[in-house]
Amino acid sequence: MHIFVKGAAIAFFSLAITACSSNPDDGFTGKESADVLYSDARAAMDTGNFSKAARTLEQLDSRFPFGAYKDQVQLDLIYAYYKQNSTADALANIDKFLKLNPTHPDIDYVIYMRGLVNMQADSYFLHELLNIDRTDRDPQNAQDAFKDFNRLLKSYPNSKYAADARMRMQFLKDRLASYSVRVAEYYIKIDAWSAAAVRGQTIVETFSDTPYVERALEIMVQAYDELGQNTLKQHALEVMKTNFPNNALVAQR
């Protein structure tokens, strides 16, 4: 049963890639007006055909770069690329828009989209579908997404996207804290006790509102014990006693 589910998932993913990579002739004649092209692009977006929408918007941008739709085309392209999981294209358009339109009324939306694109790039469809734990993967996109959402909240605290950004930041904190725990546990495995202690302390200081603080303190206690740093070990135990009184390490004292 499990083999069938995995096989079906991989087949589905392969079909999705094939569908996204196809590029049928959309019938552009080069004579369409800006209004017609934008209407076609919006119709494609409304029906969820983001591949066609992107191609149409690209035509519009190429043929009418300074037309009435120039800003809206860029905003729609960002969203269309995001929906297609086209990270590089989306980020390129976002960064270009931010550079050329620093006072645009939709800048908060563009920064928010940058966070969404980076957060999407951090996710792995097949891993999530098959419930595979890959918290050890490179967190660079997650870190970038966190910075994007943080930038939004600092620059536009009253933005309509602020509440969602805050929730996503908490998710990203958990993701980054989990990664740090995995790194610290690897340091323990190779007897790099100083590095393990530093990583544990970073988790406690930076991700204090995540569920990984208790494990970080355990790592610190173990690392300081191995390093003969009894004062630091006792301090970590005191913090653990205050916050996690039922932890086994506290009971052993």
Side-chain angles (χ1 to χ4, degrees):
M1 179 64 180
H2 291 298
I3 295 175
F4 171 77
V5 172
K6 292 183 179 180
I10 293 171
F12 170 79
F13 189 61
S14 299
L15 287 172
I17 293 175
T18 302
C20 289
S21 62
S22 62
N23 187 21
D25 182 8
D26 289 304
F28 297 122
T29 66
K31 298 180 180 179
E32 297 88 355
S33 68
D35 289 340
V36 168
L37 285 172
Y38 188 68
S39 178
D40 287 350
R42 286 305 313 177
M45 292 185 74
D46 290 342
T47 58
N49 191 344
F50 294 102
S51 179
K52 180 180 179 181
R55 293 193 300 273
T56 307
L57 290 165
E58 288 165 352
Q59 279 281 320
L60 180 53
D61 183 45
S62 175
R63 289 165 52 188
F64 304 97
F66 304 109
Y69 297 104
K70 67 181 183 68
D71 287 349
Q72 192 59 48
V73 165
Q74 300 306 317
L75 294 172
D76 289 345
L77 265 175
I78 289 168
Y79 187 72
Y81 288 144
Y82 164 69
K83 294 297 289 185
Q84 292 182 88
N85 216 351
S86 298
T87 303
D89 288 330
L91 290 177
N93 271 51
I94 287 170
D95 291 342
K96 178 182 176 182
F97 193 94
L98 291 173
K99 182 178 180 180
L100 296 178
N101 306 276
T103 60
H104 194 280
D106 291 319
I107 282 294
D108 61 330
Y109 167 76
V110 178
I111 296 173
Y112 172 71
M113 285 303 302
R114 198 177 199 286
L116 289 187
V117 170
N118 273 314
M119 194 170 180
Q120 181 186 69
D122 181 64
S123 66
Y124 285 64
F125 173 75
L126 274 180
H127 293 159
E128 294 173 0
L129 187 64
L130 303 178
N131 198 30
I132 299 172
D133 181 13
R134 282 305 314 278
T135 52
D136 60 340
R137 65 186 182 273
D138 184 353
Q140 185 60 57
N141 288 117
Q143 292 170 345
D144 289 343
F146 188 88
K147 291 177 183 177
D148 292 330
F149 292 133
N150 192 47
R151 176 184 177 184
L152 172 66
L153 294 181
K154 286 186 175 180
S155 300
Y156 304 95
N158 297 319
S159 168
K160 63 182 178 181
Y161 307 105
D164 186 69
R166 287 190 187 92
M167 289 190 294
R168 291 178 183 276
M169 285 178 73
Q170 185 59 55
F171 174 87
L172 289 165
K173 278 187 179 182
D174 290 351
R175 151 80 170 108
L176 294 171
S178 175
Y179 174 80
S180 289
V181 165
R182 296 289 290 270
V183 172
E185 289 173 340
Y186 171 75
Y187 286 147
I188 289 174
K189 186 176 180 181
I190 63 173
D191 296 333
W193 298 108
S194 292
V198 169
R199 183 67 69 156
Q201 184 175 351
T202 299
I203 296 169
V204 172
E205 293 176 351
T206 308
F207 306 115
S208 60
D209 54 347
T210 71
Y212 298 95
V213 173
E214 184 172 9
R215 178 60 185 137
L217 287 167
E218 291 173 346
I219 290 168
M220 291 170 67
V221 169
Q222 183 180 1
Y224 290 140
D225 184 60
E226 292 288 341
L227 292 167
Q229 298 283 348
N230 192 57
T231 300
L232 292 175
K233 174 186 173 181
Q234 293 304 317
H235 177 70
L237 283 169
E238 287 298 326
V239 174
M240 183 176 288
K241 180 179 179 181
T242 300
N243 294 277
F244 308 101
N246 297 321
N247 187 279
L249 291 178
V250 175
Q252 292 174 10
R253 292 186 66 191

